[in-house]
Amino acid sequence: MSRRAIAKRGALAVVALFVLIQAVPYGHGRSNPPVTQEPRWDSASTRSMVLSACGDCHSNLTKWPWYSRIAPGSWLIRNDIDGGRRKLNFSEWDRAQPRLDEVVAQIRGGGMPPLQYKLIHKSGRLSTSEREALVRGLTATWTASPPAATRGG
């Protein structure tokens, strides 16, 4: 068998696999649960910054891009959103949330937003001054409108 024939078969196998993985059910659900309670934001600017840089994974107001419908990207996106909402959800302020210092450490340390989000979403690429503005706004919001409970001690 020639190299060309092997390459054709390989390409056909990749396409067939791509089509086949679309049938895997995980990642197809793109629902946004209802907002049960948002914090009383210290300002519209803080809310806007949070929703822009963090809201797709840390709220029930996710904007689902076209590529969230195509596996394997849909699997990764669904996993990030499910995990993000479990850890911190600004749309469910009436349930336990992490401690503010944990959130601030993630923002200041560059762990949030995560790299895979920043690569695709310009709004996630925060400058140092934007990170500090986000921290100040979240601190003011958290102080004036703490979540119903705090997890993690």
Side-chain angles (χ1 to χ4, degrees), residues 18-91:
F18 179 76
V19 170
L20 189 61
I21 66 173
Q22 302 313 310
V24 173
Y26 182 75
H28 291 297
R30 286 172 293 285
S31 64
N32 282 332
V35 174
T36 58
Q37 181 182 335
E38 276 194 40
R40 286 184 314 275
W41 299 99
D42 76 306
S43 69
S45 173
T46 298
R47 183 180 190 271
S48 176
M49 194 178 323
V50 166
L51 291 180
S52 175
C54 318
D56 281 337
C57 293
H58 293 288
S59 80
N60 295 346
L61 302 172
T62 304
K63 295 179 193 108
W64 296 95
W66 64 268
Y67 49 85
S68 69
R69 292 168 170 72
I70 303 168
S74 61
W75 304 341
L76 300 170
I77 292 166
R78 181 84 248 178
N79 184 61
D80 283 352
I81 291 169
D82 288 348
R85 286 176 177 169
R86 255 190 321 276
K87 290 177 184 164
L88 169 64
N89 193 330
F90 292 104
S91 296

